[in-house]
Amino acid sequence: MKPAATARVAGLLFFLVLLLALPSLRVSMAGSGFCDGKCAVRCSKASRHDDCLKYCGICCATCNCVPSGTAGNKDECPCYRDMTTGHGNRTRPKCP
C-alpha cells in the first residue's frame, strides 16, 4: 500500500474511533463539573440536600441537562422532567 493510502486509512480509522467515543465523552463531561455545578444550584435549598444531589446527578448524567433554578422549570429539560422511579403503579418523578 502506498504511504498516502496508508495515511488516509489511518485518518479514517481515527475519525471512526473518535465518532464512536463521543457519546461516552459527553456522559463523562456531564458527570464532572457540569453536573456538579448545576446540581449544587438545583439542590441549594433542598431539605434533603444529599439525596437531592444524588438523584440530580443521576438525572444529569442521563439527560445531559438540569433545569435552571432551585425548583420547577422542568420543561427546559423534558428528559429530566419525565424520568420516574418506576416502582409498580406508584411512579413518582425521579429528578428533583
Side-chain angles (χ1 to χ4, degrees):
M1 203 181 255
K2 294 181 181 179
T6 304
R8 284 189 194 131
V9 170
L12 181 60
L13 286 174
F14 176 76
F15 178 73
L16 288 173
V17 168
L18 184 63
L19 196 64
L20 291 172
L22 281 176
S24 63
L25 288 173
R26 189 179 321 134
V27 169
S28 67
M29 287 182 348
S32 62
F34 173 78
C35 287
D36 293 345
K38 292 284 191 175
C39 289
V41 171
R42 185 80 180 166
C43 297
S44 63
K45 295 183 179 180
S47 59
R48 297 175 63 183
H49 189 72
D50 291 341
D51 286 341
C52 183
L53 288 174
K54 174 184 173 183
Y55 290 109
C56 180
I58 291 169
C59 295
C60 179
T62 302
C63 298
N64 296 317
C65 64
V66 175
S68 60
T70 57
N73 303 321
K74 288 188 177 182
D75 288 335
E76 294 175 1
C77 184
C79 170
Y80 189 98
R81 175 194 65 211
D82 296 339
M83 287 184 73
T84 61
T85 58
H87 292 278
N89 294 334
R90 304 171 105 191
T91 60
R92 298 180 320 191
K94 182 178 195 119
C95 308

